[in-house]
Amino acid sequence: GCKKVMSLGIDEGFRNLEHLQVEGSGFTDSGLIAVGKCCRHLLGIDLEGCLRITESGLKKIMEDCRQLRQVNLKNCKCVNLEALAWMVFYRPSLRKLVPPSSCVSEGQKALLLRHGCKISSCSNS
């Protein structure tokens, strides 16, 4: 819930970081880009409530973190549903994705599940 945290002072010491939780912070696309550049082994990231995250930052972290398996975007108001499909198709390692809102249809969920990614209705399911 640290709204003023927009990025992290990430250096080589974070190279093997596998999970990052910045839920409710002021994290931005530039923060995601920094994480992607240094934390290439990232498996999961929790961005719930990060209101400044956009498709631009998500695309960059998807490109850089090739092992990414879980992403929580709940309440990320600047991310649209089209970005979810792109993420799943671009990064086949994704296994669980929490959408920015609950307005993902059952048909959309089924399509993405066929590509190996479960679309959850909340971060705990």
Side-chain angles (χ1 to χ4, degrees):
C2 300
K3 299 284 185 208
K4 293 188 178 186
V5 174
M6 296 180 208
S7 187
L8 299 173
I10 294 183
D11 61 16
E12 292 302 311
F14 288 90
R15 176 177 47 233
N16 294 320
L17 185 71
E18 292 183 350
H19 299 279
L20 179 63
Q21 183 172 352
V22 291
E23 175 183 345
S25 70
F27 222 64
T28 64
D29 288 342
S30 62
L32 277 183
I33 291 167
V35 167
K37 283 181 182 176
C38 191
C39 306
R40 305 240 180 210
H41 301 290
L42 197 65
L43 299 175
I45 189 165
D46 185 345
L47 299 166
E48 182 175 337
C50 293
L51 303 177
R52 297 178 181 164
I53 297 296
T54 69
E55 288 87 2
S56 177
L58 290 171
K59 284 183 178 184
K60 189 63 180 149
I61 203 162
M62 289 291 128
E63 291 169 4
D64 292 339
C65 300
R66 296 186 174 145
Q67 300 173 41
L68 201 55
R69 297 179 58 80
Q70 296 184 359
V71 179
N72 182 358
L73 297 170
K74 186 176 182 180
N75 296 322
C76 292
K77 308 270 186 226
C78 293
V79 178
N80 63 39
L81 295 179
E82 290 80 32
L84 301 183
W86 181 89
M87 291 169 66
V88 171
F89 296 130
Y90 185 83
R91 183 55 53 223
S93 63
L94 272 180
R95 294 294 172 252
K96 181 179 177 187
L97 187 56
V98 180
S101 65
S102 59
C103 59
V104 178
S105 73
E106 291 304 314
Q108 290 168 320
K109 286 181 184 180
L111 171 66
L112 298 176
L113 185 58
R114 282 196 298 268
H115 287 274
C117 186
K118 177 182 177 187
I119 303 297
S120 299
S121 57
C122 68
S123 58
N124 294 328
S125 53

